[in-house]
Amino acid sequence: MKACVLTGAGGAIGGAIARTLTKCGWRVLGIDLAFPDDPASPLGERVVCDITDETKLRGCLRELADAEPVRGLVNCAGFYPVESFADSDSASWRQQVDVNFLAPVIACHTLLPGMIDAGWGRIVNITSDSSRTGAARLAVYSGSKGALLSFSKSLAQEVGRTGVTVNCVSPGTIQVPTTDMDMARKLARKIPLGRLGAPEDVAAAVDFLMSEAAEYITGEVLSVGGGLTMAG
């Protein structure tokens, strides 16, 4: 059984990814600030870690990789305060960049050597359709996810001949417990498929890109947005 590190594993989308990957044969090692009390959790490990602290994050990742070979990485953790840019502050900007961009970069840097040595690996970074279209009141979030998208494509070019693939899954609006349902109903009318996405929709895309079947796919961005950004 191959082991995969999943950041943001305690959230709704992370939970769906963990369940799907576990069913498909991965042992999922979850990292998050907190986890729901779920006795049926599919996670092989639950590691509480502040991913904005580089020293702590690297330490957690190295401990996991020392315990068993890690051949997969899904960077799902995200921080997205909905706020007017003019009213936001640098503390918010830094946290968004730390969580959405620098933590995935650090995770890749820490775990990639083991994948290269093994001659096989899968990295999937969760970006956002807002990184390509922009989104009002999510300016810095969209920018941080755009940086992650560009990083992923560049890293894919660098490591392609080593057997490691690097791809992005780019969710649109996904319905989670904190979703504003009034806003969701309005947005759903604009989506060609007529509904918001579910965490399981994102998980299915991640599962494919983590699989053997996706061995000839790298540096790509797979939108899971119901067709809303098909022209973007």
Side-chain angles (χ1 to χ4, degrees), residues 5-232:
V5 169
L6 169 64
T7 70
I13 295 175
I17 293 171
R19 289 190 294 274
T20 300
L21 291 180
T22 298
K23 289 177 183 176
C24 294
W26 288 91
R27 175 171 151 80
V28 182
L29 315 175
I31 295 178
D32 213 325
L33 283 173
F35 294 88
D37 186 11
D38 179 9
S41 171
L43 295 172
E45 297 286 346
R46 296 195 291 181
V47 179
V48 175
C49 180
D50 178 1
I51 64 172
T52 66
D53 185 320
E54 179 177 354
T55 300
K56 289 181 180 178
L57 177 57
R58 286 190 186 273
C60 289
L61 294 170
R62 285 172 179 150
E63 185 174 337
L64 291 171
D66 286 345
E68 58 189 303
V70 173
R71 298 293 175 260
L73 169 64
V74 180
N75 285 302
C76 182
F79 177 60
Y80 50 97
V82 180
E83 58 190 2
S84 163
F85 177 69
D87 295 330
S88 63
D89 57 40
S90 60
S92 174
W93 308 339
R94 289 191 180 95
Q95 187 171 4
Q96 290 178 74
V97 172
D98 284 346
V99 172
N100 301 331
F101 178 59
L102 288 179
V105 170
I106 292 165
C108 289
H109 190 258
T110 305
L111 296 177
L112 182 62
M115 298 182 199
I116 291 174
D117 288 345
W120 196 95
R122 295 286 186 268
I123 296 173
V124 175
N125 292 319
I126 307 301
T127 55
S128 169
D129 278 349
S130 68
S131 68
R132 295 183 291 167
T133 65
R137 301 176 66 82
L138 288 169
V140 175
Y141 170 77
S142 301
S144 65
K145 289 296 191 176
L148 181 57
L149 189 156
S150 295
F151 165 77
S152 301
K153 285 180 171 286
S154 298
L155 184 60
Q157 293 180 28
E158 187 171 322
V159 302
R161 295 181 183 275
T162 69
V164 179
T165 64
V166 186
N167 291 288
C168 297
V169 169
S170 179
T173 302
I174 305 300
Q175 187 171 332
V176 296
T178 57
T179 299
D180 182 324
M181 291 312 298
D182 287 336
M183 183 180 297
R185 281 188 284 270
K186 294 177 183 177
L187 182 59
R189 290 196 288 268
K190 300 178 181 179
I191 297 174
L193 292 185
R195 67 171 177 87
L196 299 189
E200 290 74 18
D201 295 319
V202 179
V206 172
D207 175 48
F208 170 64
L209 292 173
M210 293 287 286
S211 72
E212 296 279 1
E215 67 177 353
Y216 199 57
I217 300 171
T218 196
E220 296 299 330
V221 182
L222 177 53
S223 175
V224 183
L228 186 61
T229 61
M230 66 175 73

